[in-house]
Every structure is written in C-alpha cells, then in structure tokens.
Amino acid sequence: MPTKKVSRSGTGTRMPRPVARGLLHMRRAGRRVHLPPMPDLPSQFNRVKRVVSLSRNPNLEGITPEAALHSRRNFRLGVTNGVVLTLVDGLISPGIVLALFINRLGGSNLLVGLLPAIASAGWFLPQIFIAPRIQGLPYVMFWYRRTAVSRVTCMLLLTLATITLGATPALLLLAFFVLYTIFALSGGISGLPWLEMVSKMIPPRRRGTFFSLRSFWGSVLAVLASGLLAAFLSEKLTGLKFPLNFAALFAVVTILVAIGYGSWMVTREPKAAIAAPPITLRALLKRGVELVRTEREYRAFMVVRILLSLASVADPFYAVFAKVVLGAPVEIVGLYVAASSGAALASNFLWGPLGNRASNRTLMASTVVSVALVPISALIIPTFDAVAPHAVVNTAFALVFVFAGLAAGSARILNNNMLLTIAPAAERATYIGFLNTVLGLVILVPPLGGALVDIVGFTALFVLSLLLAAAAMIATTRMGVKRD
C-alpha cells in the first residue's frame, strides 16, 4: 500500500514517484507535439453549399462542380486571353499587314498567298497528331504551356531578325517564313488542348457569350490600336524606316503574345468528367472516316468548312489590290485594319446571341453570307473609279474589310461553338482533330491564288472566291435545323 504523504502545498496525498514521472513526461511531450487544428466546419459547409447552389444554376449546366467553383475566374481569364490574342491577330493580320511586309521585301504574289495558308494549316494540321496524345488525359494544360514558350520565342527572334537582316531582304524573307511557320504550328498544337479546356471550363449556355466577349473587346483594342499601327507603318510619322518600323511592331506583338498566353495559363483546369479511352493515330483516322460516313451533321459541317476555306483564296490580295491597282498609299492600311476590327467588334452583337440560341444551319448560313460579301464588294467598288476621285474609291474600298471583319468575327465565335455542340465529350478529340486535319490539307490550295493573279488577274480570283461561297451556301441546306 502506498504511504500517504503530505504534499508541498500542505494538503492531499503525494503520488508515487513512477506515476509522477510518467505524467511529467506526458506534459513535456505534449508541449513538443503540435496537433493539427480542428477543421473549420462552417467554411467546409459553405463550400459544399456553394457547390450545390452552383449545380442548380441553369447557366452552369454541362460542367462539373469543380469547374463551377472556378467558373467566374476562368471565364474572365479566358476572355482576357482572347482579347489580347485577337488584338495580336489584328496587328499582324496575314491578309493585310504581313502581306504588305512581304510585298515591301520584294516577295512574289505566290509568297503573299502562302501567308494565310501557313496561318491556317499551322493551326489545323498538327491537331491530328495531338488528338491521340490528349484523348483520355484528365489534364491538358501542360501542352498549352509548351506552345506558349515557343510562340513568344518566335516573335522575339522575328523582331531581332527584322532589325539585323534588313539590308538583305532575301535572308529576312527566309527567316520570316521559318519563324512564322513555327509560330503557326505552335498555335495549332495548343488549339486542341485549348478547346478541350474550354469545353470543361465554360458551360454550353455561356460559350456563345464567351467567344463573343473575346472577339468584342479584342476588336475594340484593335480599332484603338489602328492609329498606332498606321504610325508604325508610315515612315513619316515615326521616323522609323522600313523594316525598322515593322521590327517595332513585332516587338509590341511579342509582349502581347506573352500576356495573352500567360492569362490562360493561370486558369484552374478542372479534371475531365469523362475519361475517354486512349486512341492511336491509325484508329483515329479510321474513326474519323467512319464519322464522315455515318454522322450527317458532322459531314455537312465539314463540307461547308472546306468550301469556305477554299473561298479564302482571295483574302491576302485585297490589300495588295488596293495598293497595286487602285494606287492606295501604304498608310491607308491603318484605315483597313480599323474597318476590319471595327466590323468584327460590331458583329459580336449579332454572332454572340446567335451562337447561344440559333440552329447550326442558321449559324453557318450567316457565316457564308458574310464571307460572300467580301468578294462582291471587291468587285463592285473599283467600278466607281471612272466617276469618282481615287482617294474616294480607296477610302470606299474599306468596305471590303468591313465585310472581312464581319466574316472573321463569325469564324471566331460560331465555328468553335458549333464544333463543340456537334462533337460528343467522349470523342471530342477525334471529331475536332480529324476535321481540322482535313481543313489543314484543304487550306494548302489557296496559295495557288498568287499564281492565278499572275495569270488571270485579281478580278478572276475574286469571282472564283464568290462562286465557292455560293457552293458553301448550297451545302448548308444539309445541316440540322434544331439546336443539339
């Protein structure tokens, strides 16, 4: 039996020495052990409550709860990404600015016609090789990051090449086409992962608005920047002689490309809701051919897109036509870019609501009409040269670029929106990759427009573009009249 002893405090029974030592060690150990804090149950409850409320929001239908949590942030960053890159497209438009750059370097019409082909084929062709690599992946952002570095590097090297190789136009032409081709191919590699992320982040009911806002604010900035563009291109305003004026333009574009890609890279990519099985390149091609045979909507959409791609045969020659045939001064390019960007800006009020509600047939028919108006106006306006001053005709020729901007706005907002509507989530990479590869092969035909200009002239080329747009309108009748 333990003996009772009076404690030092004067009362009670003193504990046995082994027990007291054990309690002392426990107290010391407790001071050294840091227990994890209790979970903040109210904040966890609010998070669950927010997910439940978001899932009931009809504007967020079609995406996962994880994507819904970050939908506002991703939406804003995605719009910022599109705004900046739309501005880039306006500043280095292949059909206007870069066409004049090649013309000033002494490049042939064939090289001028090659510009939009490189831009389009670079976007479309790589996707057939990327589709098998990303199908079945829960996350695809790392593909986008790689191409961002490549595109910024290409623009930086192009700026340096324009400064250092200005005295040797042949070398500068070679450097330009090599770097611009890599720049375009990098964009194509990122295209399919980007669309895959858009399909996960942006709800179907908001995609029309999403693409519309990207185009709208990008066009606003392009219109505001048209004066700056004119200052760069006009040697009188800035004092920079050719090609240093273009070098300054390319330097600005390098910064903008870095900002545009960076804004998308900080979005929060959700995990894919449907894990599609991986697919080989051979199986993808086989499946794509099968879809063309069996899926009427997909087949009709592909035929119309092919015809519209062929109708772009005249796109790079409208600005060259104004300079060579109509005698327009170089600085009028600022007006043409402003007209194109302003029309793309205004078109958002039309294409955005249509993209959210209209049928695929209505959307595509509207696109075809806007494309057809470009060669129509290019054929009609020069006929007034006999009765009106040259300056008036040159200014009126901006209407061609107004319709071109309308068509470009339609392509940016509607084509991707329709494709995401047609392609099921489980095979989205297959649908998009196969279609874009076919379009990439078709787009290699329009560079022959440069040879046609040398043989038959500008007018015959514009007529050919109009006939191809008419054929595309006939093909739209095979598309569905209901919204999928």
Side-chain angles (χ1 to χ4, degrees):
M1 292 294 291
T3 58
K4 290 186 176 180
K5 295 182 179 180
V6 180
S7 64
R8 291 182 181 179
S9 59
T11 60
T13 303
R14 178 176 294 180
M15 292 183 181
R17 184 171 297 176
V19 176
R21 289 178 178 175
L23 292 177
L24 178 62
H25 287 307
M26 290 179 65
R27 286 196 299 269
R28 290 176 178 174
R31 295 191 188 101
R32 294 193 297 267
V33 175
H34 299 284
L35 297 177
M38 292 293 291
D40 188 359
L41 295 180
S43 65
Q44 296 295 326
F45 175 76
N46 290 333
R47 180 181 176 87
V48 173
K49 182 179 178 182
R50 184 183 173 199
V51 171
V52 173
S53 64
L54 286 172
S55 64
R56 295 176 179 175
N57 187 346
N59 287 329
L60 295 177
E61 291 177 357
I63 59 174
T64 63
E66 179 189 2
L69 280 173
H70 307 297
S71 62
R72 289 185 179 179
R73 181 177 186 272
N74 289 342
F75 189 94
R76 291 168 182 165
L77 289 170
V79 169
T80 302
N81 164 262
V83 167
V84 177
L85 296 184
T86 300
L87 173 60
V88 169
D89 291 341
L91 292 178
I92 57 170
S93 169
I96 305 176
V97 179
L98 295 183
L100 289 177
F101 180 66
I102 299 303
N103 184 263
R104 289 289 301 273
L105 288 175
S108 64
N109 287 328
L110 181 61
L111 291 179
V112 172
L114 196 60
L115 285 171
I118 291 175
S120 299
W123 172 263
F124 292 129
L125 281 179
Q127 298 189 21
I128 193 67
F129 303 102
I130 299 302
R133 293 177 174 271
I134 71 168
Q135 182 160 308
L137 294 180
Y139 301 100
V140 294
M141 177 63 83
F142 66 94
W143 281 98
Y144 193 86
R145 292 195 179 102
R146 293 176 179 178
T147 57
V149 175
S150 175
R151 298 200 101 192
V152 173
T153 302
C154 285
M155 287 307 306
L156 178 60
L157 292 177
L158 179 57
T159 303
L160 298 176
T162 307
I163 295 172
T164 58
L165 301 178
T168 54
L171 285 178
L172 182 53
L173 273 174
L174 177 61
F176 168 81
F177 276 102
V178 170
L179 292 172
Y180 188 66
T181 300
I182 298 173
F183 181 82
L185 289 172
S186 299
I189 292 172
S190 69
L192 193 52
W194 178 78
L195 277 176
E196 186 70 23
M197 288 185 282
V198 168
S199 69
K200 294 190 296 183
M201 295 179 183
I202 310 301
R205 292 193 180 188
R206 299 201 69 194
R207 286 175 190 160
T209 303
F210 175 75
F211 290 119
S212 177
L213 288 174
R214 287 164 57 94
S215 178
F216 175 84
W217 291 110
S219 300
V220 167
L221 292 182
V223 171
L224 295 176
S226 60
L228 178 64
L229 179 62
F232 275 128
L233 300 183
S234 176
E235 300 173 0
K236 299 177 182 178
L237 294 178
T238 61
L240 294 175
K241 302 296 182 180
F242 179 85
L244 293 180
N245 52 350
F246 277 90
L249 176 63
F250 295 151
V252 172
V253 170
T254 301
I255 298 172
L256 292 175
V257 171
I259 295 173
Y261 272 82
S263 62
W264 184 262
M265 288 192 295
V266 295
T267 59
R268 296 179 180 177
E269 180 190 5
K271 186 177 181 179
I274 300 176
I279 189 171
T280 63
L281 177 60
R282 183 177 180 181
L284 188 148
L285 291 171
K286 183 179 179 180
R287 177 58 176 160
V289 173
E290 181 183 351
L291 289 173
V292 173
R293 290 200 312 265
T294 59
E295 297 289 338
R296 174 182 171 180
E297 190 77 359
Y298 184 64
R299 180 174 62 251
F301 182 73
M302 178 179 291
V303 170
V304 177
R305 290 289 304 275
I306 288 173
L307 290 170
L308 288 180
S309 295
L310 293 174
S312 66
V313 65
D315 285 358
F317 297 99
Y318 294 118
V320 176
F321 174 80
K323 178 179 179 294
V324 174
V325 178
L326 300 181
V330 175
E331 50 267 26
I332 205 170
V333 169
L335 172 63
Y336 292 162
V337 171
S340 177
S341 301
L345 165 65
S347 72
N348 287 277
F349 298 105
L350 171 65
W351 304 135
L354 277 177
N356 286 334
R357 299 180 180 86
S359 67
N360 287 336
R361 180 189 294 183
T362 300
L363 295 176
M364 191 53 81
S366 302
T367 299
V368 174
V369 169
S370 63
V371 170
L373 288 172
V374 180
I376 289 175
S377 57
L379 290 168
I380 293 176
I381 293 174
T383 60
F384 294 97
D385 195 44
V387 296
H390 290 300
V392 174
V393 176
N394 292 338
T395 303
F397 199 73
L399 186 63
V400 174
F401 299 96
V402 169
F403 293 131
L406 190 69
S410 171
R412 281 196 292 264
I413 297 170
L414 301 186
N415 286 342
N416 288 333
N417 197 23
M418 280 187 283
L419 189 52
L420 291 177
T421 301
I422 294 171
E427 292 187 288
R428 186 176 292 115
T430 299
Y431 273 70
I432 298 176
F434 184 78
L435 170 66
N436 286 346
T437 299
V438 173
L439 293 176
L441 294 173
V442 171
I443 207 67
L444 296 176
V445 176
L448 297 177
L452 289 175
V453 167
D454 294 333
I455 298 172
V456 297
F458 290 99
T459 301
L461 186 65
F462 299 161
V463 170
L464 176 61
S465 176
L466 179 58
L467 292 176
L468 290 168
M473 178 60 75
I474 296 173
T476 59
T477 59
R478 304 293 297 172
M479 297 189 69
V481 296
K482 293 183 180 180
R483 181 80 180 190
D484 292 340

